[in-house]
Amino acid sequence: MRMGVPSLRARRATAAAFCSMAVITAAGCARFDDTASSPFTPEPTFGSGAEVQPKEPAPSSVAPQPSVPDDPCFDRDPNVVATCLDSTGGLVMLPDGTSALVTERRTGRILLVTPGQAPTEFASVPVDSGTDGGLLDIALSPTFGEDRLVYAYITTATDNRVVRVAPGDVPKDVLTGIPRGPEGNAGALTFASPGELMVLTGDAGNPAAAADPGSLAGKLLRVTSLSTAPAPPRPAVALSGLGRAGGVCTDVDGGVWVTDRTATEDRLQRLRPDGSVGAAPVWTWPDKPGVAGCAVAAGAVAIALADGRAVSVLTTDRETGSVSSAPALLAQNLYGRLGDVTISGEGQIWASTVNKSGGEPGPTDDRVVKIPLPSGGGGFD
C-alpha cells in the first residue's frame, strides 16, 4: 500500500488484517472470473459466487429516511468518504489511518479526505492533462509526519516526470524526461525503503520504447537519489517491457508488485526482494479488466479494476509470491470504474473512482469509497 514506509508494527498489523480479509473473501460471497482461472493443488473451495452488495435492513425494520440535505454532493451511501471530485489519480492513506490524500488528475489538486468531512485542498500542482495525463499518482515522504512532503507523478507539456511537493511551495523536479505520448501516460509511485522510490512508467503508446534500454518509458525505475538538484543520476531499471502502467505497491517482505496492461492481457508481476523477477507473471487477465492501483500485505493483493468495475483480491503465498486461488471480486458494479486502492488503519479497503474518465458518472462522482466486505466478514481483523 502506498503509505511511504510505515513502522514494522503497523505493517504487521495491516498484513494480518488484510490476510484475514483474503481468507474471508475466498471462502464465500465473491465472484470469480473463470477465464483467468488455472488449476491448483489442492483445489480451493469457493462460495456461491454471489456479488457483494451493501446489506439492507429487513423491510419491517427500515427506519424513516431523513430528508436529503440541500446539497447536490450529498450521498446516502455510508461507505462514501468523499464526493464531487474531478476524475481522480492516486490515493494514499495518511499515517493516522483514518484520512487519505487523493489527487484530481485533470486539475492537479491534492485533496485531504476524511469520513464525515468535506474535502480540503492539501496542495496543488500545475499539470497538462490534454491526453490521459495529469496528476497521476502520489507517494508520501517516508518522514511525512515531520516534513509533510509528497512525491507526485505528473504530466507536463513536454514529458512525464516526478516532482516533490510541499504545501505552499513550488514543486521541485526529482526525475524528468519520461516520454509523453498521445496515450499510455499513466504512472505510479511507491517507496520500497526510506531511500528508494520505485517509479512505474507507462509505454506512452509506444511498445517499442518499453523494450528500449535507452528510454524511460514502460519501465519500473529505482530512484535512490531524491535530490532536486540539476541533473540527478539516471535511475536504475528494475523491470522493462511494460505496457500501460497500472499500479505499484510493496509488501512486508520487501517485494514490489506491479500491474500493467498490454495489447493481449493485463498482468500482475512481482519483483522479489533480491531484485529478480519470475519468468512469467504472477497472474494474467486475458479479458483485460483494466488493472489499476494496488495495495498489498502478507497473504493478499487488492487491485482496482477500471473496466471490471470492482476490486480484485488475490490470495498469495508469502514465501514464493505465487497466487494460491483465483481472484475474488469485491463490490462489482457498485461504484463504477475504480482507479486506485489503499488500506485504512482499520484494515479496510478504500478506493477512488474514475467514472469521469471513460465511465458513466453519477451525480456525486467522482468519489472515494470504502469497499463493502462479504456478508458476515466484519472487518479485516
Side-chain angles (χ1 to χ4, degrees):
M1 73 201 86
R2 295 191 306 283
M3 294 176 57
V5 182
S7 68
L8 179 60
R9 180 178 179 183
R11 293 177 71 172
R12 286 175 173 168
T14 302
F18 198 49
C19 186
S20 298
M21 178 278 301
V23 172
I24 291 166
T25 301
C29 292
R31 193 176 190 181
F32 304 97
D33 175 13
D34 293 334
T35 65
S37 301
S38 59
F40 292 89
T41 305
E43 184 176 350
T45 300
F46 300 117
S48 62
E51 203 169 288
V52 177
Q53 297 291 350
K55 292 180 287 186
E56 296 287 350
S60 60
S61 63
V62 174
Q65 292 291 327
S67 59
V68 177
D70 187 19
D71 180 356
C73 294
F74 177 79
D75 199 308
R76 288 185 181 275
D77 189 334
N79 290 310
V80 171
V81 177
T83 63
C84 290
L85 306 176
D86 200 48
S87 187
T88 65
L91 175 69
V92 59
M93 189 63 56
L94 291 179
D96 63 12
T98 62
S99 55
L101 294 179
V102 63
T103 77
E104 290 183 330
R105 179 178 65 82
R106 297 181 296 196
T107 69
R109 295 198 303 165
I110 303 173
L111 300 172
L112 172 65
V113 295
T114 304
Q117 300 181 26
T120 58
E121 185 171 304
F122 174 84
S124 182
V125 184
V127 298
D128 188 322
S129 59
T131 56
D132 60 353
L135 178 48
L136 299 161
D137 198 20
I138 53 173
L140 303 184
S141 160
T143 52
F144 177 83
E146 291 77 42
D147 56 33
R148 309 291 286 177
L149 295 177
V150 172
Y151 291 81
Y153 191 103
I154 68 170
T155 305
T156 73
T158 58
D159 66 357
N160 291 299
R161 62 181 59 185
V162 179
V163 297
R164 192 179 71 191
V165 182
D169 197 2
V170 176
K172 305 294 195 304
D173 292 336
V174 172
L175 174 63
T176 62
I178 302 169
R180 169 189 169 150
E183 61 181 5
N185 293 296
L189 305 172
T190 191
F191 275 93
S193 67
E196 187 176 56
L197 179 65
M198 308 303 293
V199 180
L200 176 63
T201 71
D203 65 5
N206 181 9
D212 180 359
S215 172
L216 295 179
K219 308 289 193 299
L220 178 64
L221 305 173
R222 195 186 306 272
V223 179
T224 55
S225 174
L226 300 178
S227 170
T228 59
R234 185 177 177 86
V237 176
L239 192 62
S240 61
L242 301 176
R244 179 173 177 175
V248 59
C249 45
T250 56
D251 61 37
V252 294
D253 298 310
V256 181
W257 300 75
V258 174
T259 66
D260 75 319
R261 312 177 197 177
T262 72
T264 58
E265 62 188 9
D266 290 359
R267 304 182 294 188
L268 172 66
Q269 300 184 76
R270 181 177 186 258
L271 189 71
R272 301 185 184 105
D274 64 4
S276 64
V277 65
V282 174
W283 197 262
T284 62
W285 290 264
D287 58 336
K288 298 188 288 185
V291 295
C294 62
V296 63
V301 180
I303 300 168
L305 304 181
D307 299 327
R309 300 161 63 96
V311 172
S312 179
V313 178
L314 300 91
T315 55
T316 62
D317 182 274
R318 181 167 178 175
E319 296 297 324
T320 66
S322 61
V323 172
S324 57
S325 64
L329 298 184
L330 296 182
Q332 189 175 27
N333 296 321
L334 189 57
Y335 297 111
R337 293 167 54 84
L338 301 180
D340 205 356
V341 288
T342 190
I343 309 296
S344 74
E346 297 177 344
Q348 187 168 24
I349 298 174
W350 288 24
S352 54
T353 70
V354 286
N355 291 314
K356 289 181 177 177
S357 294
E360 299 177 357
T364 61
D365 276 324
D366 270 313
R367 297 176 286 178
V368 173
V369 300
K370 300 177 184 179
I371 297 299
L373 295 178
S375 177
F380 292 5
D381 46 17

